[in-house]
Amino acid sequence: MAAWHEAADRGHAPMNGSGFLSLRWRLLGPLLALWATGMGLLVSVLYAGIVERFQALVEQRAEAIVSAVYAAAENARDPADLRRFVSALGAARDVTRVLLVAGQPARVIAANDHGWHDLPLTALPDRALAASLGSVQISRHGERMLDAASRSFAVLEPVLLVGGGGTSGRPDDGVLFLRLDAGSLWQAAEETVLHLAVGLGAVLSLVAGLVYLLLSRYVLRPVEAIREALGRRQAGAGEVVRVPVARRDELGELAGTLDETLLALNARNRDIERMKRLHHALSVTNKAIVHVRTAEALLPEVCRIAVEFGELDLAWIGFPDVDGGPLRPVAMHGACDDGGVALWCQPASQVPAEALIVNDLAQPGAAQLCPGCVGQDSAGSFALFPIRDGAGLDGALVLRKAETDFFDAQTVALLEEMSADIGFALRNYRRDEALRLAAKVFENNSEGIVIIDSGRRVAMTNRAFTTLTGFAEDDVRGRPLVLFDPQAHPRGFASHARAVALRDGLWQGEVWIRRASGESFPADMSISVVGAPEGSAFHYVGVFSDISRRKADEARIRFLADHDFLTGLPSRAALQPTVERAVEAASRDGRRVGLCFLDLDRFKNINDTLGHHVGDQLLVEVAGRLQSVLRDGESVLRHGGDEFVVVVPEQGSLTDLQASAERLLAALDEPFQLAGCEFSLSTSVGVAVYPDDGKDAETLLDRADMAMYKAKEEGRNGVQFFTESMATATSERLSLEHALRRALERGELALHYQPVVASDGTLIAAEALLRWTHPELGNVPPARFIPLAEESGLILPIGAWVLDTLCRQLAEWRAEGRRMVPVAANISPLQFRRADFVAIVAAALQRHGVPSGLLTLEVTESMVMADVEQAAHQLAELKALGLSIAIDDFGTGYSSLAYLRRFPLDKLKIDQSFVRAINAGPEDRAIVAAIVGLGHNLGLGLVAEGVESAAVADTLLDLGCDSLQGWHFGKAEAAERFAERLA
């Protein structure tokens, strides 16, 4: 390890250095040398064994032959037998020479070579052999000589021969020479020893291999694993390097220690690399802050840098909405496991003041710390760093990494610095944007702005200053400015305004500013003081706007506050002070004041037929005419709509007031020329008199209004003075209206049914008529409450009630199995003009299940002629429901053939005024005959109303009238009684 660390310190590991030899080869070499040495020793020992074994075999063979020769020598009776034995012995394969020497002088007694028989020693061809034989014969010591090279064995053995010297029975000293060819014995010994050598060599090799395997398993492999781990560590592998040795021995302990060391080194290097990346990311972020000019471009770049340089999985930056809602990502980069769905975080008000770090998302409650920050993947770490932008919209930098314990203290410190830099950049962007915006506002402000230094010299102006004053900035910069008109302001006014601004920080007021052309204009101006940060210098900032238009508008508003914008006359708001002044003057002299209330008769028809613009022109013309006939002290006001009020002060008698009122009527009698048309206009005038009818404007106006309505009731185009009876009638009318409003709630209204008969008296139809039974007033006539309902608008709910009640009654009669006839209901103009009237009728029929053929709706001529196109459309829709349409009171209105052809009508009801006078003269009879003829020619049914006698009925039948209705055939009856007619 020390050598490895030294090599590492030198910049390379020892396994990569020159002259490296692995431990496997270092152990394998000595092991092979030991094996070779063992094998060499084994060969040497085996070779010695071969030689020894060979020698033993040879000696054993030699001993056997010597013994045989001894036996033969003892048993031989004569030399010939011995020779025969030696000759036979020499025939053996391994005996190359055998001979016996005896006697004095020594000679060959027997030999396997017959040529050598009886030869003296000195005559033997082999001198060395002869010498050896002689020596042994003398010494009587035997010799054995093994020649391993030639694989031969020589034996010189002294023997005692009987009869060998020629004297029978006398022993002689002799010598036996035996030479054996030991090749076969050598081969046998060699084979025996080789088999043994192979076995021992195999055992030795097996032992050596087993030793090598044990060394490889328990020493070499762990060492190589350690070396491989160190090699990966040195190569800089990205994964964590672990030493794969887990043994409970010295190497295991060494590996464990090395593993811990490598883990520590890897963690340290990983931290170093991460710190380098984060420092680089911080550096790149700061560069981006310097070069990028907008937050929209900076924030995505910061997220990209955090992911690519900081090796994070996901980075996003979120800010709340303006209303302080949850954080919304405005920039994001990296792998998002939410499928691209926008991430949400907790409300901005709950963004922590410090960094929120969670290094293990598996821990309980981790995902609830920041909903939306974690995502679907619950593994790894996340961190939230607040971003303070200085504008109250604090956001957060949220980072995620699929690795636990990623955000350590150093990482958090660097990322906090990054978030602080982001906040700093955002504040700078906002400040720069504010400066740019301020510059644009300053330059493009519609108000004139001038900045003056403490020496009263102009430092800066904007475009509006030049537009309003005519002074170019280049002409006034660096010079004292005289802006206020000296004719409109006292001397020292400008100095006083600056002094107040310097003292209080602000001066405001209206001024007159003199333009470069010399003319002046009113302006609303404020002067404020702006000091330098160190407080040593300051500037005056003057802001002004031209209020000429405002002044004119104020004057116009003051005029319109108590004047009518259309006619220019004083309005209702001016009535109170006008009357008060007239009353005050009249009370001093004991005179009267007349208040004339004028209402133009049928002015609505002009608006409806000629248009509102013509109506407005008419009102202006009327105002002009009234003003033209006023006398000194008199005042005319427009009360509203088509109503005018004339105050006639200081009148002595009612006769004078009557003359004044008639003078007003006369002014409006002349025809009017408007829109290419000439028409006359009548006016109803009501007069109230101070102090007879009231002492204040409100009372006089109300009573003049009552008198005006009385003039309309009396035929219009006249003058009526207020009387107490008018007040009583008005009061009764209000009471009746109040009672009518509650009549529906109290169930005081009911429908009665008047029969309609054919020429033979058969019941063919009916008309539903509304009746009101008041608990105190009794039966109130329809002529009294129907107009009141129309004027007050109550006719709408009443009309809806009539339709619903009629349909319900028809449904009840059908359910009872009675004979059904069509029943007619009168429709008011207000009902008919409603856009949803057709739907109301259809709903009533459907709600009660009544066939539409049982319902007839009666409309008047004036209703359909008010708006012919709309009436035609409305009637067509009603006709499409299947019900019948009848024109009521025909003959009293337009009676136009043209509109009768346009409308989808079924019946004409002749007005009772013609029916009752039918027998009064031929003219009346002719009118009815014309109406009947007109209806028949158009294919319409004719119904005569108001038939009260048999004579009238006969006349109508003679003229061809289809059906009759009136008291002669039956009055209007309650539903229970009329049901008897349907039996």
Side-chain angles (χ1 to χ4, degrees):
M1 289 295 294
W4 185 88
H5 283 299
E6 292 175 0
D9 292 339
R10 291 194 300 269
H12 57 82
M15 63 284 293
N16 295 331
S18 60
F20 169 75
L21 186 62
S22 69
L23 181 61
R24 180 178 294 276
W25 288 108
R26 289 183 184 276
L27 291 177
L28 188 59
L31 186 61
L32 290 175
L34 182 61
W35 179 83
T37 303
M39 291 300 293
L41 292 175
L42 179 61
V43 170
S44 299
V45 171
L46 290 178
Y47 183 75
I50 291 174
V51 174
E52 184 179 356
R53 177 64 175 166
F54 173 67
Q55 185 174 358
L57 290 176
V58 171
E59 288 181 354
Q60 184 180 0
R61 176 66 173 163
E63 287 295 336
I65 294 175
V66 170
S67 298
V69 171
Y70 271 116
E74 292 178 355
N75 296 325
R77 292 184 292 273
D78 56 31
D81 291 336
L82 188 58
R83 285 179 180 170
R84 284 193 296 275
F85 174 75
V86 171
S87 178
L89 184 62
R93 286 187 307 171
D94 57 343
V95 177
T96 59
R97 189 170 295 281
V98 62
L99 60 90
L100 288 172
V101 177
Q104 291 294 335
R107 64 181 178 80
V108 177
I109 296 177
N112 63 332
D113 187 357
H114 295 170
W116 284 26
H117 287 168
D118 295 330
L119 287 178
L121 289 179
T122 58
L124 290 176
D126 189 350
R127 296 296 183 186
L129 178 60
S132 296
L133 289 172
S135 174
V136 171
Q137 188 176 12
I138 296 173
S139 64
R140 304 305 290 169
H141 291 290
E143 294 183 6
R144 284 173 169 76
M145 295 171 291
L146 177 62
D147 187 355
S150 61
R151 306 293 191 269
S152 62
F153 186 73
V155 179
L156 292 173
E157 184 68 27
V159 296
L160 186 63
L161 299 177
V162 180
T167 300
S168 178
R170 183 183 174 189
D172 288 330
D173 293 325
V175 178
L176 173 62
F177 174 74
L178 178 62
R179 178 176 291 168
L180 297 175
D181 183 4
S184 60
L185 294 175
W186 178 272
Q187 184 176 1
E190 185 178 31
E191 289 178 358
T192 300
V193 174
L194 284 177
H195 283 104
L196 182 59
V198 170
L200 292 175
V203 172
L204 181 61
S205 298
L206 181 60
V207 171
L210 183 59
V211 170
Y212 177 75
L213 290 177
L214 292 175
L215 288 174
S216 177
R217 177 177 177 80
Y218 293 104
V219 178
L220 296 179
R221 287 185 181 177
V223 171
E224 287 180 349
I226 293 173
R227 178 177 176 272
E228 182 181 356
L230 294 177
R232 292 200 309 271
R233 174 66 180 81
Q234 183 186 16
E239 70 277 4
V240 177
V241 178
R242 303 296 298 268
V243 178
V245 178
R247 289 167 43 188
R248 303 181 64 181
D249 55 13
E250 290 80 355
L251 280 176
E253 293 180 356
L254 176 62
T257 302
L258 182 59
D259 197 16
E260 293 176 359
T261 304
L262 290 178
L263 287 176
L265 288 173
N266 187 75
R268 186 187 68 179
N269 291 338
R270 186 171 64 250
D271 292 341
I272 292 174
E273 287 298 322
R274 185 165 57 189
M275 290 301 104
K276 288 171 59 179
R277 291 192 299 269
L278 290 175
H279 276 291
H280 185 54
L282 184 59
S283 176
V284 176
T285 300
N286 290 331
K287 290 181 180 179
I289 290 174
V290 172
H291 293 93
V292 177
R293 297 301 180 188
T294 63
E296 290 75 12
L298 174 66
L299 297 183
E301 183 68 11
V302 169
C303 292
R304 183 191 68 82
I305 292 170
V307 172
E308 295 182 0
F309 293 93
E311 295 191 356
L312 293 160
D313 295 329
L314 175 66
W316 61 272
I317 296 175
F319 285 93
D321 293 332
V322 178
D323 56 0
L327 294 182
R328 295 179 182 270
V330 297
M332 182 185 301
H333 193 84
C336 179
D337 56 15
D338 293 306
V341 179
L343 296 174
W344 290 71
C345 188
Q346 66 230 72
S349 60
Q350 300 179 13
V351 173
E354 298 180 354
L356 175 63
I357 308 298
V358 178
N359 274 318
D360 186 3
L361 295 176
Q363 67 183 15
Q368 284 72 34
L369 292 176
C370 182
C373 300
V374 178
Q376 299 175 356
D377 186 7
S378 60
S381 310
F382 85 87
L384 184 147
F385 298 92
I387 298 176
R388 309 300 181 190
D389 69 347
L393 297 176
D394 294 342
L397 168 64
V398 181
L399 306 173
R400 283 173 51 188
K401 179 68 174 179
E403 176 184 328
T404 58
D405 299 325
F406 180 80
F407 298 100
D408 55 15
Q410 294 179 341
T411 302
V412 170
L414 287 176
L415 293 175
E416 284 181 336
E417 184 176 353
M418 177 183 289
S419 65
D421 290 345
I422 296 172
F424 175 77
L426 294 179
R427 291 192 294 273
N428 280 345
Y429 291 152
R430 187 166 286 105
R431 184 167 55 252
D432 293 344
E433 181 63 23
L435 290 176
R436 288 193 295 269
L437 182 60
K440 289 183 179 179
V441 170
F442 178 82
E443 185 61 26
N444 298 317
N445 199 325
S446 60
E447 296 179 319
I449 302 176
V450 56
I451 301 176
I452 302 174
D453 61 19
S454 57
R456 295 177 53 200
R457 292 180 296 271
V458 175
M460 185 183 303
T461 64
N462 69 341
R463 186 184 308 160
F465 175 87
T466 302
T467 302
L468 292 173
T469 65
F471 292 106
E473 183 177 2
D474 293 338
D475 297 336
V476 297
R477 186 187 295 117
R479 300 177 182 177
L481 179 65
V482 178
L483 199 60
F484 299 141
D485 186 356
Q487 296 181 356
H489 298 284
R491 185 179 183 87
F493 175 78
S495 299
H496 172 73
R498 289 194 299 271
V500 172
L502 186 60
R503 182 193 65 201
D504 301 335
L506 178 68
W507 177 90
Q508 286 181 311
E510 292 186 2
V511 298
W512 283 85
I513 294 178
R514 185 172 58 184
R515 292 189 173 96
S517 60
E519 61 182 359
S520 300
F521 65 92
D524 192 357
M525 188 172 194
S526 66
I527 302 175
S528 57
V529 177
V530 179
E534 62 275 6
S536 60
F538 61 90
H539 287 79
Y540 296 101
V541 178
V543 180
F544 61 91
S545 58
D546 187 350
I547 59 173
S548 301
R549 176 68 61 83
R550 192 183 78 187
K551 289 291 186 180
D553 291 342
E554 289 175 354
R556 177 66 175 168
I557 291 172
R558 286 193 297 270
F559 176 80
L560 293 178
D562 51 11
H563 284 75
D564 175 47
F565 73 94
L566 178 64
T567 62
L569 296 178
S571 65
R572 182 175 182 177
L575 178 62
Q576 179 82 15
T578 302
V579 173
E580 288 179 353
R581 289 193 298 269
V583 167
E584 183 180 359
S587 62
R588 288 195 303 266
D589 301 333
R591 302 175 70 85
R592 292 183 172 87
V593 174
L595 192 148
C596 303
F597 197 104
L598 290 77
D599 184 88
L600 306 181
D601 297 330
R602 295 187 179 88
F603 178 76
K604 184 178 182 300
N605 291 339
I606 296 175
N607 275 339
D608 293 342
T609 56
L610 301 179
H612 287 276
H613 65 288
V614 176
D616 290 344
Q617 295 177 15
L618 176 60
L619 292 175
V620 173
E621 184 69 21
V622 169
R625 290 193 182 186
L626 291 176
Q627 284 180 307
S628 66
V629 298
L630 293 180
R631 294 178 179 176
D632 292 341
E634 297 179 346
S635 302
V636 58
L637 304 90
R638 185 186 176 193
H639 185 260
D642 59 347
E643 299 171 341
F644 295 85
V645 175
V646 177
V647 179
V648 183
E650 300 181 4
Q651 296 296 309
S653 64
L654 294 179
T655 304
D656 295 336
L657 284 175
Q658 179 75 29
S660 297
E662 291 178 353
R663 172 166 41 90
L664 298 175
L665 279 180
L668 302 179
D669 283 343
E670 294 293 327
F672 290 89
Q673 301 286 337
L674 294 173
C677 300
E678 179 179 302
F679 54 89
S680 298
L681 183 69
S682 64
T683 305
S684 299
V685 181
V687 182
V689 181
Y690 167 85
D692 303 342
D693 302 328
K695 296 183 178 181
D696 58 78
E698 184 175 356
T699 303
L700 292 173
L701 182 64
D702 290 342
R703 297 191 170 184
D705 186 31
M706 296 178 193
M708 182 270 295
Y709 276 105
K710 182 64 175 176
K712 287 184 177 292
E713 292 176 2
E714 295 296 329
R716 296 182 172 88
N717 199 29
V719 178
Q720 286 288 333
F721 281 77
F722 172 79
T723 62
E724 290 298 330
S725 61
M726 296 179 185
T728 302
T730 302
S731 177
E732 291 177 354
R733 182 175 179 275
L734 292 175
S735 299
L736 189 64
E737 180 181 341
H738 178 70
L740 183 59
R741 290 184 183 276
R742 304 186 64 182
L744 273 178
E745 303 174 3
R746 296 179 175 181
E748 298 172 1
L749 299 180
L751 289 182
H752 286 197
Y753 301 89
Q754 186 175 29
V756 177
V757 299
S759 58
D760 58 356
T762 304
L763 177 67
I764 60 173
E767 180 179 1
L769 300 173
L770 184 63
R771 296 293 183 261
W772 179 19
T773 303
H774 190 275
E776 297 177 359
L777 302 177
N779 293 326
V780 182
R784 185 178 178 188
F785 73 83
I786 293 297
L788 181 61
E790 291 182 345
E791 292 177 9
S792 63
L794 290 174
I795 195 64
L796 293 177
I798 292 175
W801 178 87
V802 168
L803 285 174
D804 186 77
T805 303
L806 174 58
C807 291
R808 184 172 64 252
Q809 186 62 64
L810 291 173
E812 291 178 1
W813 286 338
R814 287 188 68 210
E816 294 171 358
R818 298 184 182 278
R819 181 172 67 89
M820 302 303 296
V821 295
V823 180
N826 291 282
I827 303 302
S828 76
L830 289 179
Q831 281 181 283
F832 187 72
R833 285 197 293 269
R834 286 180 62 92
D836 58 348
F837 176 66
V838 177
I840 292 174
V841 175
L845 292 170
Q846 184 178 6
R847 184 163 52 249
H848 298 288
V850 176
S852 57
L854 294 178
L855 180 63
T856 300
L857 298 182
E858 295 184 0
V859 297
T860 63
E861 295 177 84
S862 60
M863 286 169 53
V864 295
M865 288 303 296
D867 188 341
V868 175
E869 296 297 331
Q870 178 63 25
H873 176 73
Q874 193 93 314
L875 291 175
E877 290 188 347
L878 291 171
K879 188 65 178 177
L881 295 178
L883 47 80
S884 299
I885 306 296
I887 292 291
D888 194 17
D889 299 334
F890 185 77
T892 60
Y894 295 87
S895 302
S896 170
L897 179 62
Y899 85 77
L900 288 178
R901 296 177 58 186
R902 292 191 59 183
F903 298 146
L905 303 176
D906 297 289
K907 298 177 182 179
L908 296 180
K909 300 191 73 173
I910 305 172
D911 186 69
Q912 58 185 346
S913 61
F914 300 116
V915 172
R916 289 171 182 169
I918 193 171
N919 292 327
E923 295 85 1
D924 298 317
R925 179 186 179 92
I927 292 174
V928 175
I931 295 174
V932 172
L934 176 64
H936 285 166
N937 290 333
L938 295 175
L940 303 178
L942 273 299
V943 180
E945 297 180 297
V947 180
E948 299 178 355
S949 66
V952 172
D954 292 340
T955 303
L956 289 170
L957 292 177
D958 291 342
L959 295 177
C961 189
D962 302 316
S963 53
L964 307 174
Q965 177 184 351
W967 285 7
H968 180 68
F969 302 101
K971 296 183 178 181
E973 302 169 338
E976 295 80 5
R977 185 171 180 181
F978 184 80
E980 298 175 359
R981 296 177 179 268
L982 302 177

